[in-house]
Amino acid sequence: MKILIFGLGALGTVFATSLKASGETVFGITKDKYIGKINNKTLEIKGLFGEKRAQLDNIFTSSEQIQDRDLDLIIVSVKAYDTETVINQIKHLLGQNTLVLLAQNGYGNYEIASSVIGKERVILSRIIFGAKIVEPAIAEVTVFADDIVIGQPDNMISEKKLNEIADIFNKAGLPTRVSKEVYAILWDKILYNSALNPLGAILECNYGTLAKHEETRKIMNKIVEEIFNVAKFKKIKLNWADYKEYLNYFYEKLVPPTAKHFPSMYYDIKNGKKTEIDAFNGAIVKLAKQCNLSVPVNETITNLVKVKENLI
């Protein structure tokens, strides 16, 4: 399979290295400022998915440099705020059978991609393993909570094709399963990230610390409760009967294996980068305004993260 990874950050590096090491044809796109730090088109990963090293077939700095590659799959692993730009940049690369898999966080990526290139090309994923860049071209998988889940929310791609992609990922050491409920499963990740990510960035602490203190638990509980209220009003299907049921699972099953993990927003702010707050709590605020609902805790958290971005 010919695969293009758009975005060679931590997540993209894990995908690219794993898939190439398993024998697939893999290309990458990264920013100009990073290309000089990748020696001989070689990437490495270590950590929970093992130690792997692979030389990609080529690495580009622009989609315009790629011509007639007859790609089977494009994996988009950029920040949510870059989704629309990237989807427009890859339109000319789409052959008759090219599919696009969104390996991203937050709400809105599927909606944007589908509106530009059509639902019949877009695969949604829920990714709940964590990785970080140790040094240029080397990523470490630091946490693994569950399989990668892929699917097409509107049943526009055959289950056979989705299982073929899942098999390729599994062969590459990327635990993956297919689900028709991928959209609801992605919302589980949105709940998880909205509760933990911004608060961990603001307080500069790991997930276990947030769950340990009654004060932060109260804040996270209200974040989740507000999201359930918005989802109910917008008729967004969730996998939980109510927010209390989700919170029991959150504290008992999700937080413990990721207790030592620091959120991506923490590293973004530390490195002077923009965060994805608008794809999480900020997205909840936007959806709430469409329904004339009040989500004061999500709005406050969103504002605090945006201020913190500007303080660095």
Side-chain angles (χ1 to χ4, degrees):
M1 183 173 274
K2 289 185 178 181
I3 303 170
L4 170 67
I5 315 292
F6 200 124
L8 294 178
L11 196 66
T13 296
V14 173
F15 272 101
T17 306
S18 300
L19 289 165
K20 182 59 190 175
S22 72
E24 306 302 326
T25 300
V26 180
F27 307 99
I29 293 182
T30 192
K31 294 180 179 178
D32 283 314
K33 62 182 178 180
Y34 300 133
I35 192 71
K37 299 177 181 179
I38 302 175
N39 294 323
N40 202 28
K41 295 175 276 190
T42 300
L43 304 178
E44 296 181 40
I45 66 167
K46 59 182 181 178
L48 298 181
F49 288 175
E51 294 188 5
K52 300 174 185 178
R53 190 171 186 269
Q55 184 180 43
L56 301 196
D57 293 274
N58 212 338
I59 299 178
F60 308 96
T61 57
S62 168
S63 62
E64 298 299 326
Q65 297 171 346
I66 305 173
Q67 301 295 328
D68 301 322
R69 292 292 181 183
D70 193 26
L71 298 167
D72 297 298
L73 182 66
I74 300 175
I75 299 175
V76 176
S77 59
V78 300
K79 296 290 189 180
Y81 49 75
D82 284 331
T83 298
E84 186 170 5
T85 299
V86 167
I87 295 299
N88 278 293
Q89 287 177 356
I90 64 173
K91 282 193 298 185
H92 77 283
L93 297 176
L94 302 180
Q96 185 176 355
N97 299 312
T98 308
L99 297 175
V100 175
L101 187 146
L102 304 177
Q104 299 171 281
N105 283 323
Y107 172 79
N109 299 303
Y110 175 70
E111 289 74 12
I112 290 170
S114 297
S115 69
V116 176
I117 61 175
K119 294 177 181 179
E120 69 278 5
R121 289 190 180 275
V122 182
I123 301 170
L124 187 61
S125 74
R126 187 290 312 267
I127 295 170
I128 201 164
F129 71 80
K132 64 179 182 179
I133 293 292
V134 179
E135 57 183 90
I138 302 176
E140 179 181 5
V141 179
T142 57
V143 63
F144 175 66
D146 195 8
D147 292 347
I148 299 166
V149 178
I150 67 172
Q152 214 304 313
D154 297 286
N155 298 314
M156 300 290 284
I157 298 172
S158 72
E159 190 170 345
K160 179 181 178 182
K161 187 63 180 180
L162 293 170
N163 279 313
E164 178 187 336
I165 293 170
D167 288 345
I168 288 170
F169 284 9
N170 281 308
K171 177 188 171 187
L174 302 166
T176 303
R177 69 179 187 271
V178 174
S179 175
K180 293 181 179 180
E181 303 300 322
V182 65
Y183 196 79
I185 293 170
L186 178 66
W187 268 91
D188 290 349
K189 178 76 180 294
I190 292 171
L191 284 160
Y192 171 86
N193 271 327
S194 295
L196 292 165
N197 221 314
L199 204 54
I202 292 166
L203 297 176
E204 301 182 358
C205 64
N206 61 31
Y207 293 167
T209 301
L210 295 176
K212 178 181 177 181
H213 295 280
E214 181 182 357
E215 295 81 1
T216 45
R217 286 173 73 103
K218 285 181 178 179
I219 295 171
M220 292 190 293
N221 293 353
K222 288 302 294 184
I223 287 172
V224 170
E225 182 181 358
E226 290 177 1
I227 294 175
F228 267 80
N229 291 339
V230 171
K232 182 178 180 180
F233 201 97
K234 295 290 288 185
K235 294 182 171 54
I236 295 170
K237 182 182 177 183
L238 301 179
N239 284 321
W240 311 93
D242 55 39
Y243 78 95
K244 292 180 180 178
E245 182 183 353
Y246 173 77
L247 285 172
N248 287 334
Y249 182 77
F250 174 76
Y251 288 116
E252 292 176 11
K253 301 295 185 181
L254 294 182
V255 174
T258 60
K260 295 181 180 180
H261 186 69
F262 279 75
S264 59
M265 284 188 194
Y266 165 79
Y267 292 109
D268 287 339
I269 290 172
K270 186 177 179 181
N271 293 320
K273 296 180 179 179
K274 183 179 178 182
T275 73
E276 293 182 293
I277 190 65
D278 284 330
F280 292 111
N281 309 75
I284 301 306
V285 173
K286 187 175 180 179
L287 290 172
K289 287 180 179 178
Q290 294 172 6
C291 311
N292 291 319
L293 293 178
S294 176
V295 287
V297 179
N298 278 278
E299 187 166 4
T300 299
I301 288 292
T302 300
N303 290 336
L304 287 173
V305 170
K306 289 189 174 184
V307 170
K308 184 133 188 172
E309 285 178 353
N310 293 325
L311 291 177
I312 300 299

